[in-house]
Structures are given as C-alpha cells and as structure tokens.
Amino acid sequence: EKGGYEHFMIKEIHEQPKAIKDTMTSRIIPDSDEIKLDDIKLTSDDIKNIDKIFIVACGTAYHAGIVGKYVIEKLARIPVEVDIASEFRYRDPIINERTLMIVVSQSGETADTLAALREAKKSGARVIAVTNVVGSSAAREADDIFYTWAGPEIAVASTKAYTTQLISMYIIGLYLARLNGNMSVEEYRTIRDEMIQLPEKVEKLLEEKEELQKFADRNHMHKDMFYLGRGLDNAVALEGALKLKEISYIHAEAYAAGELKHGPIALIDDGIPVIALATQGELFEKMVSNIKEVVTRGAKVIAFALEGNTDIEKVAEQVVYLPKTISLLTPILSVVPLQLLSYYVAVTRGCDVDKPRNLAKSVTVE
Ligand code: F6R
C-alpha cells in the first residue's frame, strides 16, 4: 500500500503533482476565463457585500491560511485576518453578516476549527469549508465547500493536503477578485497559465534530492535550526519549520528575516544550520543581506532561490534552485524541498516519520 516507498510521507510528497492537478482541474480551465466552483454559491452581489474575511485553522492548515491572506488581499483587495482556531473561538472576534469565514481543515473534524465555524455562523457570517474529506463535519456545516482532492493522507505530517490547500487559496482569491471586479481578464489569464504549469514544475523538483540528502547527512545531529524568509517565503518557512519539528524532533524556528536583528540573531552561533528562502523577486536583495548577516556570525546556510538568481551562491553554502514562476505562486514550489529536507533529516536520525511521537492525525479533542 506504500506503493514501493519506504514511508507514507515520502509517497504522499510524490503524489503532489497529481493532487495539485486534481484540485485545479474542472475549476481552472485552460483557455477559459471562467472559474468553476460547483460547491460555492456566492454571487457577485454577495462578494461585494463582504468587508472582511477570516481564515481560521490549526497547524499546517493555518500555515496555508497565512499564504491565503497574502493572496486574497493582493488579488481581491478585501482585508483578511488569519487566526488559529483555538485562539479565534475564545477571543470574541468581530463578526457579522458582512464577514466571510474560510475554515481550512484536511480532516474536516478538528474540534477547535469546528467550534470556530459554529461561532462564526451564529454571528451571521457566511462560511466556506476547505476540506479534504467528503461529507466531513466541516463540509456538512459550512454554507459552501471547496474540496481539496489530495486523496487520503495517512502520514501524520501533512504534505499533499497543504499544497492542495494552497491551491484552494489561489482559486478562491482569483474567484473573489474576478467577481468583485478587482482583476482584469488579462491578469487572470497570466496567473491561470502559470498555475497550470505547477504540477510539472513540482514533478521536476522531486527529482532534486542530492543537495537535500547532503544537508541531512551534514546537519542531522544539530539541536536547533532556523528558517528565514520574507513575505510569502516567511509563510512557507513556518510550514518548513513545523515539518522538521514534528518528524525529526529538532527544535526549529521560523522568522521573518527582517525581524532577525530585533532579537533572534543573538541565537546565531558557529555552525548553526539556517534554511533561507529567497524566492520573492522584489525582496531578493534584502534576503541576500540577511543571509550575509547570519553567515558572518557562523551560520551554515542552505538557500532556496529561483533559477537564474545565481548571486545567492556568493553568500550561501548550498543552493537549491526552483523552476521559475511568478512570486505569488512560489509557495507551491518552495515547500516541496522543505518537506523532503525534513524527511531526509528524520530518516537519517532514525525517527518514525509516519507516526511521530505524541501526535495524532486528527485532533478531535479541544
Ligand atoms: C501537521 C499537521 C497538523 C494539522 C492540524 C490540522 O503536519 O498535520 O498540524 O494540520 O492538526 O488538522 P486538520 O487540517 O485536519 O484540521
């Protein structure tokens, strides 16, 4: 049932091109300007009435929500707040009939996420559930549904569910932007055509394992690692650090790179591994300076950058290049080598990657 793979996690990492394709097909159609969302019934008038969006979730799904905030605000120009479900439900958030809530949950059964959904509905919000399980509680209780078609995810650490959740954020963002008049058809076509190429680019990335294995061989005995990024890279850094913590039990911290000098740079000392993401074109030079800052203090940096940005080799010890795409879509690509990196580190350490200690696949208690 592991299809020749040693663990479910690595099998599911390799299933991502298909999962992404399945989640896009039928919704984003080549040569068509229409976005088809069968289970979302929001009309153009409904969307114009929305003055605020909450994305609420836990864990990895919350990290997909952080990307969702960037994407939806950028495309649809509607203010978005992202919340951890167990915080949202106890903090008396401001919700009314003009609020749209998006809950993101692979299982559709996470107790805190469901409680937040119910809270929002009680206050009159419209709720979209992004979930991977047909007929799950989240799907049944929400007004609208976006199914991620990742297929069953067995490994405790979420991989293909996350990338399909990212796809849901892009598609919902595009949908809102088209219907509220914030995006021209030309802009839509540019993003659509780039999205359609993503499965192939992920496929290509899955072949690049050498640098990551080398990183694992060199660094698996370290007790701490840092993840740095700016903008969307920061959101992906959070997910990368969570993956490493969960399956390898190494302490990992993700920081917005601009925050370094406000405290965490004090932790950088000789030999500490730093995983730096530098995929955001307009922030590239800033990331290069941040990498220099940590290298000067002894950090060993593995950097992730888009093909062609070879300047990064002047500062980083190791570089992994990602196929080129637009800045908005890089999270789909950059998270894949981070998943592999965690996997190789955990395997090299001899950890039980599919069933990490203390964790359950679905958290149905509060
Ligand atoms: C991490 C992980 C968890 C889940 C979280 C939410 O790899 O799997 O952080 O993302 O427990 O679960 P769902 O999405 O089922 O609500």
Side-chain angles (χ1 to χ4, degrees):
E1 55 187 25
K2 288 184 201 144
Y5 290 99
E6 199 181 335
H7 298 99
F8 282 109
M9 183 178 175
I10 191 73
K11 172 173 178 264
E12 289 164 4
I13 289 173
H14 281 84
E15 284 169 349
Q16 289 180 113
K18 179 175 187 313
I20 293 167
K21 202 184 285 170
D22 289 349
T23 303
M24 284 195 309
T25 311
S26 87
R27 290 162 172 154
I28 297 270
I29 303 142
D31 302 321
S32 159
D33 298 328
E34 194 195 347
I35 302 166
K36 285 178 79 175
L37 292 177
D38 290 342
D39 297 315
I40 294 185
K41 308 273 181 258
L42 284 166
T43 63
S44 178
D45 281 343
D46 291 336
I47 292 169
K48 285 180 184 142
N49 183 48
I50 295 167
D51 65 3
K52 182 160 186 184
I53 298 175
F54 280 103
I55 305 177
V56 180
C58 302
T60 285
Y62 167 72
H63 293 155
I66 298 175
V67 173
K69 173 186 164 73
Y70 275 84
V71 169
I72 295 172
E73 288 192 339
K74 191 162 189 87
L75 301 180
R77 308 308 294 162
I78 306 169
V80 182
E81 263 191 68
V82 199
D83 251 293
I84 293 169
S86 58
E87 291 296 318
F88 177 88
R89 55 181 296 205
Y90 299 117
R91 77 171 169 84
D92 200 8
I94 301 163
I95 313 168
N96 56 43
E97 294 73 22
R98 303 194 63 183
T99 309
L100 174 67
M101 184 197 217
I102 306 173
V103 293
V104 185
S105 175
Q106 188 281 129
S107 62
E109 303 297 344
T110 299
D112 282 318
T113 307
L114 290 175
L117 181 164
R118 290 171 191 143
E119 191 70 29
K121 280 199 82 171
K122 229 192 307 169
S123 309
R126 173 108 175 207
V127 180
I128 303 179
V130 172
T131 179
N132 196 40
V133 178
V134 175
S136 58
S137 302
R140 278 186 280 112
E141 294 186 34
D143 301 294
D144 304 279
I145 312 170
F146 185 110
Y147 282 119
T148 50
W149 298 116
E153 194 179 61
I154 306 215
V156 165
S158 184
T159 54
K160 61 178 181 168
Y162 173 77
T163 36
T164 59
Q165 285 159 357
L166 294 184
I167 293 293
S168 79
M169 295 293 123
Y170 292 117
I171 296 180
I172 292 171
L174 290 166
Y175 183 76
L176 297 174
R178 285 295 291 143
L179 286 189
N180 78 0
N182 252 289
M183 177 182 276
S184 70
V185 73
E186 288 74 24
E187 285 172 283
Y188 173 67
R189 287 175 188 163
T190 306
I191 299 173
R192 175 197 68 197
D193 294 348
E194 286 288 336
M195 282 180 75
I196 290 171
Q197 295 175 42
L198 289 172
E200 218 171 287
K201 291 179 179 171
V202 172
E203 198 77 68
K204 191 165 159 232
L205 265 172
L206 288 169
E207 287 159 19
E208 301 211 13
K209 296 168 184 168
E210 211 175 300
E211 286 296 322
L212 304 171
Q213 185 66 64
K214 196 155 70 175
F215 176 90
D217 291 341
R218 287 180 186 167
N219 295 303
H220 66 279
M221 294 307 285
H222 277 276
K223 280 169 104 174
D224 306 281
M225 297 196 194
F226 270 88
Y227 287 72
L228 299 177
R230 287 170 177 262
L232 283 168
D233 283 341
N234 177 41
V236 177
L238 289 165
E239 174 58 11
L242 177 64
K243 286 291 87 92
L244 188 75
K245 286 183 249 201
E246 288 184 279
I247 62 168
S248 75
Y249 318 140
I250 293 174
H251 166 237
E253 271 198 64
Y255 254 96
E259 273 289 289
L260 263 182
K261 30 176 123 30
H262 300 285
I265 202 160
L267 294 167
I268 303 292
D269 64 4
D270 224 23
I272 190 160
V274 171
I275 295 109
L277 283 82
T279 74
Q280 299 294 296
E282 58 290 7
L283 298 166
F284 182 76
E285 293 305 327
K286 292 256 183 282
M287 271 309 295
V288 170
S289 323
N290 290 133
I291 295 171
K292 269 190 208 147
E293 284 163 6
V294 295
V295 168
T296 311
R297 290 163 179 86
K300 298 234 168 294
V301 175
I302 181 169
F304 296 83
L306 297 186
E307 272 163 10
N309 286 332
T310 48
D311 274 2
I312 199 97
E313 288 171 28
K314 294 185 193 142
V315 288
E317 184 178 82
Q318 281 188 277
V319 179
V320 174
Y321 288 108
L322 314 173
K324 272 196 190 143
T325 188
I326 50 177
S327 289
L328 196 70
L329 298 178
T330 60
I332 298 271
L333 301 180
S334 51
V335 75
V336 174
L338 296 190
Q339 296 166 343
L340 288 169
L341 183 148
S342 314
Y343 177 79
Y344 291 132
V345 170
V347 169
T348 311
R349 283 164 71 85
C351 298
D352 185 358
V353 288
D354 280 341
K355 284 197 175 8
R357 68 186 183 204
N358 308 339
L359 290 171
K361 183 68 186 161
S362 183
V363 184
T364 51
V365 293
E366 299 181 3

PDB file of all heavy atoms in Angstrom, residues 58-61 105-107 110 156-158 242-243 246, ligand 1:
ATOM      1  N   CYS A  58      -5.938  25.177  12.114  1.00  0.00           N
ATOM      2  CA  CYS A  58      -4.884  24.774  13.056  1.00  0.00           C
ATOM      3  C   CYS A  58      -3.684  24.211  12.285  1.00  0.00           C
ATOM      4  O   CYS A  58      -3.853  23.624  11.220  1.00  0.00           O
ATOM      5  CB  CYS A  58      -5.364  23.647  13.969  1.00  0.00           C
ATOM      6  SG  CYS A  58      -6.826  24.034  14.923  1.00  0.00           S
ATOM      7  N   GLY A  59      -2.515  24.350  12.863  1.00  0.00           N
ATOM      8  CA  GLY A  59      -1.313  23.655  12.369  1.00  0.00           C
ATOM      9  C   GLY A  59      -0.963  24.007  10.936  1.00  0.00           C
ATOM     10  O   GLY A  59      -0.915  25.177  10.544  1.00  0.00           O
ATOM     11  N   THR A  60      -0.745  22.963  10.160  1.00  0.00           N
ATOM     12  CA  THR A  60      -0.378  23.146   8.753  1.00  0.00           C
ATOM     13  C   THR A  60      -1.458  23.898   7.986  1.00  0.00           C
ATOM     14  O   THR A  60      -1.155  24.744   7.132  1.00  0.00           O
ATOM     15  CB  THR A  60      -0.114  21.757   8.139  1.00  0.00           C
ATOM     16  OG1 THR A  60       1.145  21.298   8.625  1.00  0.00           O
ATOM     17  CG2 THR A  60      -0.079  21.796   6.631  1.00  0.00           C
ATOM     18  N   ALA A  61      -2.710  23.608   8.281  1.00  0.00           N
ATOM     19  CA  ALA A  61      -3.814  24.282   7.588  1.00  0.00           C
ATOM     20  C   ALA A  61      -3.784  25.789   7.897  1.00  0.00           C
ATOM     21  O   ALA A  61      -4.086  26.626   7.040  1.00  0.00           O
ATOM     22  CB  ALA A  61      -5.146  23.665   8.004  1.00  0.00           C
ATOM     23  N   SER A 105      -9.389  22.720   6.814  1.00  0.00           N
ATOM     24  CA  SER A 105      -9.156  21.528   7.627  1.00  0.00           C
ATOM     25  C   SER A 105      -9.094  20.288   6.738  1.00  0.00           C
ATOM     26  O   SER A 105     -10.075  19.927   6.098  1.00  0.00           O
ATOM     27  CB  SER A 105     -10.268  21.369   8.670  1.00  0.00           C
ATOM     28  OG  SER A 105     -10.097  20.163   9.377  1.00  0.00           O
ATOM     29  N   GLN A 106      -7.941  19.660   6.710  1.00  0.00           N
ATOM     30  CA  GLN A 106      -7.773  18.438   5.938  1.00  0.00           C
ATOM     31  C   GLN A 106      -8.855  17.434   6.330  1.00  0.00           C
ATOM     32  O   GLN A 106      -9.612  16.976   5.486  1.00  0.00           O
ATOM     33  CB  GLN A 106      -6.373  17.864   6.196  1.00  0.00           C
ATOM     34  CG  GLN A 106      -5.951  16.698   5.323  1.00  0.00           C
ATOM     35  CD  GLN A 106      -6.547  15.363   5.746  1.00  0.00           C
ATOM     36  OE1 GLN A 106      -7.128  14.641   4.920  1.00  0.00           O
ATOM     37  NE2 GLN A 106      -6.452  15.027   7.020  1.00  0.00           N
ATOM     38  N   SER A 107      -8.929  17.127   7.613  1.00  0.00           N
ATOM     39  CA  SER A 107      -9.867  16.099   8.085  1.00  0.00           C
ATOM     40  C   SER A 107     -11.308  16.603   8.097  1.00  0.00           C
ATOM     41  O   SER A 107     -12.247  15.827   7.968  1.00  0.00           O
ATOM     42  CB  SER A 107      -9.488  15.676   9.504  1.00  0.00           C
ATOM     43  OG  SER A 107      -9.599  16.791  10.389  1.00  0.00           O
ATOM     44  N   THR A 110     -11.412  18.655  13.000  1.00  0.00           N
ATOM     45  CA  THR A 110     -10.636  19.239  14.100  1.00  0.00           C
ATOM     46  C   THR A 110     -11.568  20.036  15.032  1.00  0.00           C
ATOM     47  O   THR A 110     -12.291  20.932  14.582  1.00  0.00           O
ATOM     48  CB  THR A 110      -9.516  20.122  13.523  1.00  0.00           C
ATOM     49  OG1 THR A 110      -8.678  19.286  12.727  1.00  0.00           O
ATOM     50  CG2 THR A 110      -8.694  20.782  14.611  1.00  0.00           C
ATOM     51  N   VAL A 156       1.160  11.232   9.446  1.00  0.00           N
ATOM     52  CA  VAL A 156       0.679  12.268  10.373  1.00  0.00           C
ATOM     53  C   VAL A 156       1.094  13.653   9.873  1.00  0.00           C
ATOM     54  O   VAL A 156       0.304  14.600   9.913  1.00  0.00           O
ATOM     55  CB  VAL A 156       1.197  11.982  11.806  1.00  0.00           C
ATOM     56  CG1 VAL A 156       1.028  13.203  12.698  1.00  0.00           C
ATOM     57  CG2 VAL A 156       0.425  10.795  12.394  1.00  0.00           C
ATOM     58  N   ALA A 157       2.314  13.786   9.387  1.00  0.00           N
ATOM     59  CA  ALA A 157       2.766  15.097   8.906  1.00  0.00           C
ATOM     60  C   ALA A 157       2.112  15.388   7.556  1.00  0.00           C
ATOM     61  O   ALA A 157       2.217  14.611   6.611  1.00  0.00           O
ATOM     62  CB  ALA A 157       4.285  15.099   8.767  1.00  0.00           C
ATOM     63  N   SER A 158       1.450  16.505   7.497  1.00  0.00           N
ATOM     64  CA  SER A 158       0.677  16.858   6.314  1.00  0.00           C
ATOM     65  C   SER A 158       1.586  17.388   5.203  1.00  0.00           C
ATOM     66  O   SER A 158       2.439  18.241   5.444  1.00  0.00           O
ATOM     67  CB  SER A 158      -0.327  17.928   6.730  1.00  0.00           C
ATOM     68  OG  SER A 158      -1.170  18.240   5.653  1.00  0.00           O
ATOM     69  N   LEU A 242       7.730  23.647  10.984  1.00  0.00           N
ATOM     70  CA  LEU A 242       6.794  22.717  11.643  1.00  0.00           C
ATOM     71  C   LEU A 242       7.073  21.277  11.198  1.00  0.00           C
ATOM     72  O   LEU A 242       7.099  20.362  12.023  1.00  0.00           O
ATOM     73  CB  LEU A 242       5.339  23.108  11.332  1.00  0.00           C
ATOM     74  CG  LEU A 242       4.269  22.168  11.912  1.00  0.00           C
ATOM     75  CD1 LEU A 242       4.305  22.176  13.442  1.00  0.00           C
ATOM     76  CD2 LEU A 242       2.875  22.559  11.434  1.00  0.00           C
ATOM     77  N   LYS A 243       7.300  21.086   9.895  1.00  0.00           N
ATOM     78  CA  LYS A 243       7.590  19.733   9.389  1.00  0.00           C
ATOM     79  C   LYS A 243       8.809  19.155  10.086  1.00  0.00           C
ATOM     80  O   LYS A 243       8.821  18.005  10.491  1.00  0.00           O
ATOM     81  CB  LYS A 243       7.849  19.737   7.875  1.00  0.00           C
ATOM     82  CG  LYS A 243       6.690  19.904   6.946  1.00  0.00           C
ATOM     83  CD  LYS A 243       5.706  18.769   6.875  1.00  0.00           C
ATOM     84  CE  LYS A 243       4.640  18.895   7.925  1.00  0.00           C
ATOM     85  NZ  LYS A 243       3.425  19.581   7.619  1.00  0.00           N
ATOM     86  N   GLU A 246       8.058  18.268  13.844  1.00  0.00           N
ATOM     87  CA  GLU A 246       7.152  17.129  14.001  1.00  0.00           C
ATOM     88  C   GLU A 246       7.831  15.792  13.816  1.00  0.00           C
ATOM     89  O   GLU A 246       7.604  14.878  14.581  1.00  0.00           O
ATOM     90  CB  GLU A 246       6.074  17.158  12.898  1.00  0.00           C
ATOM     91  CG  GLU A 246       5.036  18.189  12.993  1.00  0.00           C
ATOM     92  CD  GLU A 246       4.020  17.987  11.872  1.00  0.00           C
ATOM     93  OE1 GLU A 246       4.294  18.420  10.743  1.00  0.00           O
ATOM     94  OE2 GLU A 246       2.974  17.403  12.131  1.00  0.00           O
TER      95      GLU A 246
HETATM   96  C1  F6R B   1       0.961  18.986  10.667  1.00  0.00           C
HETATM   97  C2  F6R B   1      -0.399  18.569  10.817  1.00  0.00           C
HETATM   98  C3  F6R B   1      -1.306  19.284  11.747  1.00  0.00           C
HETATM   99  C4  F6R B   1      -2.669  19.525  11.108  1.00  0.00           C
HETATM  100  C5  F6R B   1      -3.644  20.146  12.119  1.00  0.00           C
HETATM  101  C6  F6R B   1      -4.990  20.467  11.494  1.00  0.00           C
HETATM  102  O1  F6R B   1       1.673  18.256   9.735  1.00  0.00           O
HETATM  103  O2  F6R B   1      -0.829  17.637  10.144  1.00  0.00           O
HETATM  104  O3  F6R B   1      -0.729  20.485  12.163  1.00  0.00           O
HETATM  105  O4  F6R B   1      -2.503  20.367  10.009  1.00  0.00           O
HETATM  106  O5  F6R B   1      -3.837  19.249  13.193  1.00  0.00           O
HETATM  107  O6  F6R B   1      -5.636  19.326  11.008  1.00  0.00           O
HETATM  108  P1  F6R B   1      -6.840  19.449  10.012  1.00  0.00           P
HETATM  109  O7  F6R B   1      -6.332  20.074   8.762  1.00  0.00           O
HETATM  110  O8  F6R B   1      -7.326  18.054   9.801  1.00  0.00           O
HETATM  111  O9  F6R B   1      -7.871  20.329  10.664  1.00  0.00           O
END
